[in-house]
Structures are given as structure tokens and as C-alpha cells.
Amino acid sequence: IKQRQQSVRVQLSVNASPISSVCLADGETLEMLWQLRAQRRQNSPELPETVTRLNAPDGSILYLVGTAHFSDNSKNDVAMTIRAVQPDVVVVELCQYRVSMLRMDENTLLKEAKDINLEKVQQAIKQNGLMSGLMQILLLKVSAHITQQLGMAPGGEFREAFKEAGRVPFCKFHLGDRPIPVTFKRAIAALSLWQKARLAWGLCFLSDPISKEDVEKCKQKDLLEQTMSEMIGEFPALHQTIVAERDIYLTHTLRQATRCVESPSDGQKVPAVVVGVVGMGHVPGIEQNWEKELNVQEIMTVAPPSQFSWVMRALVKGVLLGMLGYACYRAGGGLGRTLLSLPAVQSLLEKLWPHPA
């Protein structure tokens, strides 16, 4: 069976689109593997307390694993759940812009998180725009701070889910999160200039020590809800775009994943078993949205800025440009020319003073 299992396709799909496969074996082998998975699947599994079970109208089941992103225990919870229920689909809280996290090893990710250089800043600004790009860099700084404190790279539970899904016959792997550029742009657009400044200041000077015990506390729903309430009071618009809207998007992709699947023996539709792996902060929102009518399109667009916002943004860019000019003057001609040659700086100059037609 093990020899035949190696020749069977384990389909990896990104947003339901297969990206790699191995040739299928004959029908007899497929049926054997289907039966093998059925034997391994536990009907009433004893799962960690971080797992929430949700039912779909067609009889499909979702096992939603709430995790803390820097937790070894969360990795164990994910592995235990997938091995027990032998799912048809595994969905993780990642988008295509962060899929590389699945392929990297811990040491590489630790190095990436700690090494925030000029090239990364340029890439973030080019991909997301000036304000959203800078905010992404600040959040990377927060991630690097936690990484340095714990000596552990983020996303271990997603890599564990990817690994375990590959061991389950017929199991598909889906990315369930909203594209991160959309989230950043909507978050920045929702904040006032003062809120942006306060948020940036807080992220820049983050230095509080973090322990593994603190991370594990994030899996406790009551403590997490208290923290979220404090965040809502501080930045309600940020909570709406980064948490509540992504709750809706994740619910949508999870419900899509719980569609019935075809039996390889007779092609009949049977209820699906799905494992979802998301941060614990998203679990309450997914539960609340599970049976609601959802409009995903309205949370995928970014409203154009108002005239006042455009003027304020131009003023901010002007101030930044003045600071840049002063830095060039103080640094000397060589370094000044180097700074002015950067694509991000040239783009900023072009926006402020476009060439005449």
C-alpha cells in the first residue's frame, strides 16, 4: 500500500487551483487508498480545546483550529487534528503573497525576519504604495521583535498543516486569506493622519519583552477577547479592516472548501471533511459569520482618497522630501546621489513634480 501510495496524486491547490501533481495510479489503487483513509478517519475524535467544529448544510464538517502564530503547541494541535480526521481539504490563513513561508525552513525564516534592509523597504513600497509599504515594514519589525525574543519563526502551524496534508491521500491544500496588499491598502485608507502617526510611533518603539508563556496565553479566548477590545477602543477602523473583514473573507473560503467531494469508486458526491487553520483571534468572527449571507466583493476594493486626504498626503510627501534633501546635504554629494538614484525616491519625485507633457 505504501508503494502504491507514493504513485498517487496529492493535489496542492492555491485558491482551488492545482499547482503540482504526480500521475494517478489505476482505479483499484485509488479505491484502496480511499478505503485506507476512511479507516484512519476517526468519527468522534478527541481533539484539542482549540478546535471548533462547524457543520455545513450538506453534511460537510469543518474542524477549525485556532492557533497562536509563534506557538509549538499550536503546531501539535494542527498535526493532531489532521491525523485524526484525515481531511479532504486543509485551509490555512495565508494568501498567495505569503505562500513562500510554507517552503522555507525555520533558520531561513528567522534570518528573513531579522534582516529588514533597504531592498525590502523598496519592494514593499513598490508593491503597496508609500504609506501601505511603510506600514508593512513596521509590522515586519514587530514580527522580527517577536522572533528575536522567542527564537522562533512565525507560521510554524501553517508549515505543519502543509506537511501533514501531504501525508493524507486525496487531500487538497488551499490558501484562505485575503491578499495582503488589499488588507494593507484598506487599513491605511481607513485611518486618519493622526491615527497613522500614533500607530507608526507605537510600532517603531515596540520593545516590551515577550515570553513563550505570553504567546500561549493568546490561545485563551477570554484573554484574547479582552486584548481585542482594547485594540478596538484604540483603533476601531484598523480592527475592522485587519480582523473583521478578514473574518468574512476566511469564512467565505472555508465555506467554499466544505463542498461535497466525489468518491473515486462511483463518482458520487459525499460530505467533505475540512480542517481550517487560523489565528485564534479569527475564530469568534468565523463562528458568527458561518451561517450569514456574505458579500466578499465589497471588502476587496479600496475607495479613492478624498480631496482633503490627497492634499494632506501631498503635504506629508513634501515634508518627507524636505527631510530627504536635508539628509542628502548633510551626508555629502556621493551618498546624496545614491539616495536620489533609488527607484522609490525617483517615484516620489515623479509624483510630486511630474515632467511637463
Side-chain angles (χ1 to χ4, degrees):
I1 292 176
K2 288 183 180 179
Q3 291 177 347
R4 290 187 176 185
Q5 185 173 358
Q6 292 176 354
S7 66
V8 176
R9 179 178 62 183
V10 177
Q11 187 178 22
L12 172 65
S13 63
V14 176
N15 293 335
S17 300
I19 63 173
S20 66
S21 61
V22 182
C23 293
L24 286 170
D26 54 43
E28 181 183 353
T29 302
L30 291 178
E31 177 63 22
M32 184 179 297
L33 288 174
W34 183 267
Q35 295 297 330
L36 176 64
R37 190 184 66 171
Q39 292 173 7
R40 291 177 175 175
R41 179 178 289 172
Q42 300 176 24
N43 294 325
S44 300
E46 293 186 8
L47 299 175
E49 60 180 12
T50 54
V51 179
T52 301
R53 173 172 167 158
L54 297 172
N55 298 312
D58 60 8
S60 298
I61 302 172
L62 168 65
Y63 294 96
L64 190 62
V65 187
T67 67
H69 294 317
F70 289 83
S71 168
D72 282 329
N73 287 341
S74 286
K75 292 166 59 176
N76 297 333
D77 291 350
V78 169
M80 181 186 303
T81 303
I82 294 177
R83 291 170 188 172
V85 307
Q86 295 288 297
D88 299 286
V89 184
V90 171
V91 183
V92 296
E93 184 200 327
L94 287 176
C95 68
Q96 63 267 35
Y97 293 92
R98 294 182 290 159
V99 71
S100 59
M101 182 183 294
L102 298 173
R103 296 287 188 182
M104 293 183 183
D105 57 58
E106 290 282 330
N107 292 331
T108 303
L109 283 166
L110 283 169
K111 182 179 178 181
E112 286 285 319
K114 295 175 182 178
D115 183 22
I116 300 177
N117 52 33
L118 184 60
E119 183 180 351
K120 287 185 179 180
V121 175
Q122 288 179 314
Q123 185 178 359
I125 292 175
K126 182 179 179 181
Q127 180 177 308
N128 301 298
L130 180 63
M131 295 300 294
S132 298
L134 291 176
M135 191 61 66
Q136 181 177 351
I137 292 300
L138 288 175
L139 291 174
L140 281 175
K141 179 181 180 296
V142 174
S143 178
H145 170 69
I146 300 174
T147 297
Q148 290 171 346
Q149 292 280 323
L150 300 178
M152 181 188 303
E157 74 273 34
F158 302 138
R159 290 187 291 280
E160 192 71 19
F162 180 68
K163 180 177 68 176
E164 291 295 334
R167 296 172 176 171
V168 179
F170 307 101
C171 184
K172 298 179 181 179
F173 190 89
H174 289 195
L175 305 178
D177 202 2
R178 182 172 66 178
I180 196 168
V182 176
T183 298
F184 275 123
K185 289 176 182 178
R186 285 183 63 86
I188 292 299
L191 293 175
S192 67
L193 186 62
W194 174 242
Q195 287 176 321
K196 292 173 187 175
R198 288 173 58 201
L199 179 63
W201 180 268
L203 293 176
C204 280
F205 293 96
L206 178 72
S207 59
D208 293 338
I210 299 171
S211 67
K212 293 188 176 182
E213 289 74 18
D214 294 330
V215 172
E216 293 304 325
K217 288 178 182 178
C218 291
K219 295 164 63 179
Q220 300 174 18
K221 289 187 178 181
D222 53 348
L223 182 62
L224 188 65
E225 287 173 0
Q226 178 184 346
T227 304
M228 297 293 279
S229 298
E230 294 173 358
M231 178 182 173
I232 293 171
E234 192 78 8
F235 300 101
L238 200 63
H239 176 271
Q240 175 64 26
T241 52
I242 292 183
V243 180
E245 290 182 0
R246 288 172 62 224
D247 289 346
I248 293 173
Y249 193 92
L250 287 165
T251 304
H252 171 72
T253 54
L254 287 166
R255 289 203 310 214
Q256 283 189 317
T258 54
R259 294 172 178 171
C260 289
V261 295
E262 288 187 3
S263 167
S265 58
D266 52 19
Q268 290 187 353
K269 297 282 188 178
V270 296
V273 173
V274 178
V275 171
V277 182
V278 301
M280 183 60 78
H282 291 292
V283 173
I286 293 172
E287 289 183 274
Q288 293 170 11
N289 291 316
W290 186 246
E291 297 181 359
K292 293 181 180 179
E293 292 290 332
L294 303 176
N295 186 351
V296 177
Q297 293 304 317
E298 67 180 10
I299 61 171
M300 294 298 292
T301 58
V302 180
S306 64
Q307 187 174 5
F308 175 77
S309 298
W310 184 88
V311 172
M312 291 302 297
R313 198 162 60 243
L315 288 174
V316 171
K317 288 180 179 179
V319 172
L320 290 175
L321 188 62
M323 294 170 62
L324 177 63
Y326 180 73
C328 292
Y329 168 76
R330 296 289 296 178
L335 181 57
R337 285 191 296 271
T338 301
L339 290 172
L340 289 172
S341 68
L342 295 175
V345 176
Q346 292 179 353
S347 175
L348 179 58
L349 290 171
E350 179 68 24
K351 288 180 181 178
L352 286 173
W353 289 296
H355 295 296

